[in-house]
Amino acid sequence: MESIEDYILRITKLANRNKELNDQLQGLVGRYEIIQKQNEKYLNLLSEYSYEEIEERLKMPSKKRVKRFKMVSVLYATIKGFDRINGHAHSQELIDALDELYLTFDDIAKKYGVLKVKTIGDTFLFAGGILEENRTNPIDVVNAAMEMQEAAKKCIINGDNEPFWKVSIGIHTGPVLGELTGKKSSPYTLTGESVNIASRMGMACKDGDINISVMTYELVKEFFKVDENGKMPAKYKGFLDMFKVDGILPKLAENEACTIPNRNFKTKYSLIQFMDIQEDLLDILEHKLPENLYYHNVKHTIDVVTEVELIGWAEGLAEEEILILKLAGLFHDCGHTIDYHEHEMHGAKIARDILTNYSYPEDQIETVCRLIMSTKYPPEPKDILEQVICDSDLDYLGRNDFIPVSNTLFQELKERNMIGTIDEWNQMQLSFIRKHQYYTETARNLREVNKQSQIERLEGLLQPSEKA
């Protein structure tokens, strides 16, 4: 039987335990009241936003996303004249003209695919190679800068002898870091040394001039008249060379003022742009071509593009003709992503769609499509361009790797039930190569001798009765 002392001890322990639980409960109640007050505060703050705004904000990433751009041309522009507007007789007209100039700058930037990054008072920051990463952005940005200067020169009020508003522009090309802002109008905030150098170029520039860095100079010197413009001290870098842009090179200009590019300018530009088109299309082919295209694959496309350029230059063709041949070689087999048997037709359609988006002239697009269709078997080239692409397409007939390349074509046709045995294929190849002729003198000089050796190799692979 429990003694009175044990009973009192047990009751004391229970009382103490109840007190501990009650203290914990009171603590939880206190914390709940604090949380409730905080929750009410947050709910009051949230009441200022709509449900849609809250949802949109919740979708935004918690961490800042930063993208590295390898080659961007940064344009730093400053409008000069604010120090002279106070008390001017036509100050309102000048402000209106300035507003028009701002809008014109925006239109010029859009024309050349250049992004307006930010505006701070009388200073603008633009960048090419952000909206679309490409190799042509230094040329695009210099073209945009020239048009901006022309627009500023036309900004003359009430018969003044010279424009009131003047612009100094600095340009530098290099890598930048772009931090996403979530805004459509200015999607990135740019940081990095390239931005700093562009701003220094602009600050060291005379009113009405375009000052570029040595990096930009090296990328645009084949298009524009550029003169040395001194050196600028830079921390940790010593002195940076500066260059002044004085217009388009005369041989590439449409007008005497050297402000409008001619067709030769556009051809040289397109040859640089070709590398961007090639990179994009080869990526598409890599992902969309059927896996069992052992011959008509990415390697064959690259081979044809390389060969049309080699033969084209050797045949003395013009720069524009080389461009057209390279485009035709690039697109000539891309129709295989849609259909095997009518791939030329589909390739021509894909070429038309893509080149139209790149604003190629209609006559050039027509020629590219015609050259693609000229590769359809049997080849019947009607001019030198068709001869070059047909020779390039069948270049493997006179190469040392003819047999292994020929076997990949056999494997490709075999899987499509378009050929019988390997002996039948070799006999077909032998018959074809005996009748085949290269059309250009360059191809004949390069491949005809080897082609004769291929005939001997094929004859050696066939049974005596099959050689006839």
Side-chain angles (χ1 to χ4, degrees), residues 253-446:
E254 188 73 34
N255 59 339
E256 290 186 9
C258 294
T259 56
I260 302 173
N262 63 16
R263 190 166 176 123
N264 291 333
F265 182 104
K266 293 171 184 176
T267 297
K268 290 179 73 68
Y269 177 91
S270 295
L271 282 168
I272 296 174
Q273 190 182 61
F274 172 84
M275 292 185 283
D276 292 321
I277 298 174
Q278 177 176 254
E279 191 174 289
D280 291 342
L281 187 66
L282 292 182
D283 187 60
I284 292 171
L285 296 181
E286 194 77 48
H287 290 90
K288 291 191 175 182
L289 282 177
E291 292 183 0
N292 61 352
L293 279 181
Y294 308 109
Y295 173 79
H296 292 100
N297 51 25
V298 172
K299 181 184 179 303
H300 174 67
T301 296
I302 295 172
D303 286 345
V304 173
V305 170
T306 303
E307 200 64 26
V308 294
E309 185 170 20
L310 186 153
I311 297 176
W313 285 124
E315 290 293 313
L317 299 183
E319 203 167 39
E320 184 176 344
E321 293 171 315
I322 298 296
L323 169 65
I324 291 171
L325 280 166
K326 290 177 69 174
L327 289 168
L330 181 65
F331 285 100
H332 87 286
D333 271 348
C334 68
H336 278 296
T337 58
I338 299 174
D339 179 68
Y340 191 85
H341 298 284
E342 296 292 335
H343 68 271
E344 296 94 352
M345 178 188 69
H346 293 292
K349 185 179 184 307
I350 293 169
R352 176 174 292 280
D353 292 343
I354 291 177
L355 296 180
T356 299
N357 288 337
Y358 276 93
S359 302
Y360 272 77
E362 181 59 28
D363 63 318
Q364 288 186 349
I365 296 175
E366 284 292 336
T367 305
V368 168
C369 293
R370 173 171 63 81
L371 293 182
I372 292 172
M373 295 306 298
S374 74
T375 62
K376 192 176 180 69
Y377 183 82
E380 297 178 353
K382 296 178 178 61
D383 61 21
I384 182 62
L385 295 183
E386 291 186 6
Q387 289 175 0
V388 170
I389 196 168
C390 287
D391 282 354
S392 301
D393 195 28
L394 293 175
D395 177 65
Y396 82 98
L397 295 176
R399 292 203 317 244
N400 292 331
D401 60 348
F402 165 75
I403 294 297
V405 172
S406 173
N407 288 341
T408 62
L409 183 55
F410 166 74
Q411 186 180 3
E412 183 176 298
L413 296 173
K414 184 72 173 176
E415 291 199 11
R416 288 164 174 78
N417 299 314
M418 296 172 66
I419 191 66
T421 65
I422 186 66
D423 283 342
E424 291 173 341
W425 169 247
N426 286 335
Q427 183 61 62
M428 185 184 297
Q429 284 284 83
L430 180 60
S431 176
F432 177 74
I433 202 171
R434 280 172 173 167
K435 296 176 183 177
H436 172 265
Q437 62 172 337
Y438 285 114
Y439 301 100
T440 62
E441 183 180 353
T442 303
R444 287 194 295 269
N445 291 337
L446 285 173

